[in-house]
Amino acid sequence: MNRTNDIVHDKRGGPASRAERYARWVIRNRWWVLAAAFVATAGAGTGVSKLGLATDYRVFFSDDNPDLEAYEAVENIYTKNDNVLLVIRPNEGDVFTPRVLEAVRSLTEAAWQIPHGTRVDGITNFQHTWANGDELIVEDLVGDGPITPAVVARAREVSLAEPLLVGRMIAPDGRTTGINVRISLPGESQAELPATGEYVRGLLDEYRARYPDLQIHAAGIAMMNLAFAETPMKDMPVVMPFMFGVLTLSIVLFLRTFAGVAATFAVIIFSTMTAVGVAGHLGILLDPTSASAPIIILTLAVADSIHILVTWLQHLRQNPDKREALVEALKINAKPVFLTSITTAIGFLTLNFSDSPPFKLLGNITAFGVLVAWVYSMTLLPAVIAILPGPKRLAAGSARLDRVVEMFSEFVVRRYRPVLAVMSLAAVALSLSISKLEINDHYINYFSPKLAIRQASDFTVENLTGVFNVTYSLEAGGSQEVSDPEFLRTVDDFANYLESRPEVVHVNSFTRTMKRLNMNMHADEPTEYRLPDDRGLAAQYLLLYELSLPYGLDVNDQIDIDKSSLRVDVTFAGENSVASIERENDLAREWLAANGTESMRSADATGVPVMFGKITRRNLSSMLLGTGLGFLLIAVILVVALRSPRMGIISLIPNVLPAAMAFGVWAYAVGEVGFAVSVIAGLSIGIIVDDTVHFLSKYTYAKQEMGLDAPDAVRYAFRTVGTAIIGTTFVVATGFAMLGLSTFRVTAYMGLLTSLTVACALVIDFLLLPALLLAVDGRGQTKKKTSEEVLGVPA
């Protein structure tokens, strides 16, 4: 055994530092360290099989979210809004043929068997009312008997004239129809929704095979919920291979040593398995956003390894003893790697300020994974390097990159004033363009067009109705007050106002049913299609209608049980954004405040578009505070660690500007931000601070410990850490860009914008930061020193 590894003095003969003593201890006990890492990872990794997937879009909202509470309050008064919408369109002609109506009737009856379905509505079982003398007849529009031409003619006439159907269950041109199935999950098992979705898909397969001339799709909130759960499972087989491929290629090309590549992969695999496994043991349910945590951990775990290994390779050029070079690499990087891990974890922990639980979960899992990666980088990595054979010869490519970095540093030192001016102007210009960004969301577009739910939703919007629905629960002022003529007239006026808006495709209001009942009770006289003027008469109509309805098709989905409130459902056109729907809701509130009865003036819209629209703004405001505190805490840590208040303040600039510049580029490229990018500033701070810490730590070390002036300290920082910064930036930026392959756009946009931010951070750290340091610390240019003078070692 080479006993030189046990020496506890440094190479200059002085007492060894704690970092050096620790490095030698790890190398000496390398097999025990490797065994301990295996045991820890194996124990934690068993939790991976325990991970579950959330199956509800409600996971994006905290339990105390006021918009979710309002939405659920309306659902508790009436019925749940979760649904499966079966959309049917013949390849030729319209739906009013015996064959198509038979298919619709049959599918409507079969839909009652969908697990957890509580109500099925379509044109064939629409409760058509008509008068037979003094008798009110309430019956299915298409009954159980043969579908004759007369039945088809009546179905066409009634359907295309009925306001409750046109634009909702039947297209105005009669070519597309829908069957709406209300879904009420007990909430006792995560298997409930998958069972419902599996049954629906089987039903569609059956009817597509039986009626090949029909296009049949399944949209609706229940199917969207299922897509939220299934998207991560579909992404993993695509994203992970690309991710591993890019990482492998990057690491191999950058390090070009088997020991370095093997050690790096050991760190990233052990870190990811440990972090995700612990999450599984804690019973955590992942969602499409937090499911990207393993990919992020895998990417970030590379950074510490590259910094250590690049320093190791640099010292191997000076000392062929791989273990002595490893001791030096660990000694030099122990402090900055620890700092970057802590600050990166802090950055991700700021996501706890988010108003959306998935982002909190993403931040916590990733922060834990980053700290685990730090532990393995300081234990497992050197143990593997010490065990495996070192490189027989060093690749020339790495040395060439070092020379390019050295030349670049000389350019910045010589031209730091124009560099500072140009970079400042560019940063300000891009930051100012943030004002061009529009806060917006289109939550159906969260899903890629490749997914069935997106295809079904787009098909629905193009051929039948919109997919954005909001509800107004209008209070009548007391029990049984919904029969009050003034209340009914005001509700009907409100429905007419909403229907007049160009963005609205359908309004569902019970006042239309009441008008039809009044017409029926006046011998179906068309002129009597109006609301009754007498309260008692209105109450009688409502009671008579309720008693005539079949089981499962009552009015409790529109009127609360004690007849004290009534709901109005509004469907918006598919091309509308959440922002435009919010503007319409503002106008609706103004109408109610000016024209509504006293009991309904405070009514507000509830619904999924409302919740997603407001969560983006909540996230932006809450993350502004969280990100600010994160920046402040990181600055304080750097002040203490670098022993320089000035460096702590300067560090804020390269940590703030990359996100601002990235948002500026995004403003020009995309033009809007939504739910996904509302957390990017907080998420990216933990990543971009990595390179800043390494550069500043080397710079301050050169000034404080080596006595170099500012220009040579900048040269030293570039020479010792510049190559590693390029490598880590390339790997991290590329890794996050791979998230752009996700079929869930929240994850894809988050990955792409983070990748852009990391790329901007490289530009800032290589140009603006050194120029700023020279402007603040410089005392005039000095003659360029040789490598021996700057580094204290041969080149």
Side-chain angles (χ1 to χ4, degrees), residues 621-643:
S621 59
S622 60
M623 285 308 301
L624 185 63
L625 173 62
T627 304
L629 290 176
F631 278 127
L632 180 61
L633 183 56
I634 289 173
V636 171
I637 291 174
L638 293 182
V639 166
V640 174
L642 301 177
R643 293 177 294 172

Side-chain angles (χ1 to χ4, degrees), residues 440-452:
N440 199 2
D441 251 316
H442 199 302
Y443 63 86
I444 292 300
N445 288 350
Y446 286 174
F447 302 99
S448 165
K450 300 176 183 178
L451 297 179

Side-chain angles (χ1 to χ4, degrees), residues 84-87 200 204 208 216-220 223 452-453 456-457 460:
V84 174
L85 180 62
L86 305 176
V87 184
V200 169
L204 261 60
R208 285 168 177 163
I216 309 176
H217 294 269
M223 301 307 292
I453 182 61
S457 299
T460 301

